[in-house]
Amino acid sequence: SYSIFAQMQSTLHDVWSRHFGSSLGETLRYISGRCFRTYPFSWNDSSLDATGQEYDEFRKSVVQIRSVGLTDIYNLYNSNVCFDQDIVQLRALQCGLDHKICELFGWDDIDLDHNFYPVPYLPEHDCIRFTISEFARLEILQRLSRLNSLKHQDELNQSLRSEKPKSANGRARRSRAPSAPELTLNVNDFFS
């Protein structure tokens, strides 16, 4: 869905992934077990579909018009000397997407303050990125961690409630209710 796509493209998910992922030299290694599965996604919310679709379609059009790949696009996106109209529009869409996700979480009080900042996880000679302020980054990481902890506790509580009761002989009784279908996501669906 475009809602999940939007959440994965957000700076919030990037902050989470850079904190919980690992690196190979200067490159982020996105580890699904540590980045994707632990991120507190809003699974049943379609309010981000239009935003995610607009972002995806615009980014695809920029790639097509410029005849370059995403790496080249994001090099321009993060360049503090590039103010081409399409790149400025992509930055604006990113800001809108990030603000919508903050609204979804009820975090309207965070000033994301998008701009060009040096980021601590890149080498000094290439550390400027168009992103949120360091204060916002730390606040978001703290709140996402708290939200993750709450969701984990809810999952534990649900699992305790759904344990099969034991019969008099100590064996677990069979449940007649069918189990809920497992959510299956193909990560490739989120990237074009």
Side-chain angles (χ1 to χ4, degrees):
S1 82
Y2 277 111
S3 176
I4 300 301
F5 171 83
Q7 291 176 73
M8 289 188 70
Q9 296 303 307
S10 74
T11 303
L12 285 76
H13 187 69
D14 182 68
V15 164
W16 183 263
S17 300
R18 290 190 185 281
H19 185 77
F20 289 102
S22 66
S23 61
L24 183 60
E26 298 172 1
T27 306
L28 169 69
R29 288 185 60 212
Y30 188 91
I31 301 169
S32 64
R34 294 171 69 183
C35 302
F36 184 82
R37 290 188 190 127
T38 61
Y39 184 81
F41 285 101
S42 179
W43 292 107
N44 297 320
D45 193 304
S46 62
S47 66
L48 292 170
D49 282 339
T51 304
Q53 184 173 6
E54 180 183 15
Y55 184 86
D56 183 46
E57 289 174 358
F58 184 79
R59 186 175 70 177
K60 283 178 183 175
S61 75
V62 173
V63 165
Q64 184 178 18
I65 290 167
R66 287 183 176 258
S67 297
V68 297
L70 284 176
T71 299
D72 292 327
I73 295 300
Y74 281 103
N75 285 338
L76 293 170
Y77 174 92
N78 287 305
S79 170
N80 59 0
V81 296
C82 179
F83 293 98
D84 297 352
Q85 186 177 0
D86 56 346
I87 301 302
V88 170
Q89 178 65 23
L90 187 62
R91 291 177 190 138
L93 289 171
Q94 182 70 56
C95 294
L97 189 149
D98 292 344
H99 285 286
K100 282 228 182 225
I101 292 173
C102 281
E103 287 173 19
L104 180 71
F105 285 129
W107 299 343
D108 297 0
D109 60 316
I110 300 175
D111 180 8
L112 298 177
D113 197 20
H114 287 87
N115 211 327
F116 294 96
Y117 297 103
V119 292
Y121 50 82
L122 290 174
E124 195 173 315
H125 70 276
D126 184 31
C127 66
I128 303 297
R129 294 293 180 267
F130 183 79
T131 189
I132 58 177
S133 71
E134 182 66 6
F135 176 81
R137 186 185 75 79
L138 294 173
E139 183 64 26
I140 282 171
L141 186 58
Q142 184 179 53
R143 291 186 191 193
L144 286 172
S145 295
R146 210 174 307 132
L147 193 54
N148 171 270
S149 181
L150 290 171
K151 285 191 173 200
H152 177 70
Q153 189 59 51
D154 284 347
E155 289 170 2
L156 286 176
N157 291 342
Q158 287 176 1
S159 115
L160 288 174
R161 276 186 249 131
S162 66
E163 282 185 5
K164 295 179 181 177
K166 299 199 179 210
S167 64
N169 66 6
R171 293 185 182 168
R173 287 189 219 162
R174 288 188 169 193
S175 171
R176 295 183 192 265
S179 61
E182 187 174 322
L183 176 62
T184 305
L185 294 173
N186 181 350
V187 175
N188 293 327
D189 291 343
F190 300 115
F191 304 99
S192 301

